[in-house]
Amino acid sequence: MFGNKKTPEEKAAAKRLSRIRVAAAAAGVTAIGDKFHQAGQQAIPIEGARVTIELGEVARKRITATRVVLIGIFALWAKKDESQLYITIEHDDGVILYPVAARKEPQARVFATLVNGESTGLTPAS
């Protein structure tokens, strides 16, 4: 077919990506194009990513593999700020950790639902 007509699947994918970018911005996560970005780290694709959220007081009680990957052996001594919320985005291409204000928990949960919904077979209501 000639022209730039998008298929219904391409339109749905573009709409989902747009919703994820808006929700990411509200939660304090940087999403540019079809990737998540964090300064000093490799960008990872949105498609296929999994998002987990931890509150600071819960996260402080354990040392996660993600922290060891991100900051090495120093994870044993690094303290997590209990007034923070930690958004972890995992993908086969890498891991990004975003510390955000705990008051952004509702926005972070919406963001996590949008990203994880596709891989769990759930889709948000239109």
Side-chain angles (χ1 to χ4, degrees):
M1 181 178 237
F2 295 104
N4 287 334
K5 296 255 182 189
K6 290 186 178 179
T7 65
E9 293 82 17
E10 290 172 329
K11 288 179 183 178
K15 187 175 182 179
R16 176 179 177 269
L17 188 59
S18 176
R19 286 180 177 173
I20 288 173
R21 283 194 298 257
V22 169
V29 173
T30 304
I32 301 171
D34 62 347
K35 294 188 177 196
F36 293 115
H37 295 265
Q38 176 75 306
Q41 297 183 34
Q42 177 181 343
I44 59 173
I46 292 173
E47 193 61 39
R50 291 287 297 162
V51 175
T52 56
I53 300 170
E54 290 183 313
L55 296 175
E57 63 268 8
V58 173
R60 184 164 193 224
K61 294 179 182 173
R62 65 183 180 86
I63 299 171
T64 63
T66 301
R67 287 185 58 136
V68 173
V69 168
L70 292 175
I71 60 177
I73 191 69
F74 299 106
L76 297 172
W77 296 281
K79 293 184 179 182
K80 291 186 179 180
D81 184 352
E82 293 181 17
S83 65
Q84 295 285 309
L85 181 72
Y86 295 90
I87 300 173
T88 306
I89 303 173
E90 298 175 86
H91 191 277
D92 291 341
D93 292 350
V95 176
I96 296 179
L97 179 69
Y98 289 92
V100 298
R103 64 182 163 72
K104 290 193 174 193
E105 183 178 1
Q107 294 92 334
R109 299 235 177 254
V110 168
F111 166 66
T113 300
L114 287 172
V115 173
N116 296 340
E118 183 71 14
S119 59
T120 59
L122 302 175
T123 55
S126 297

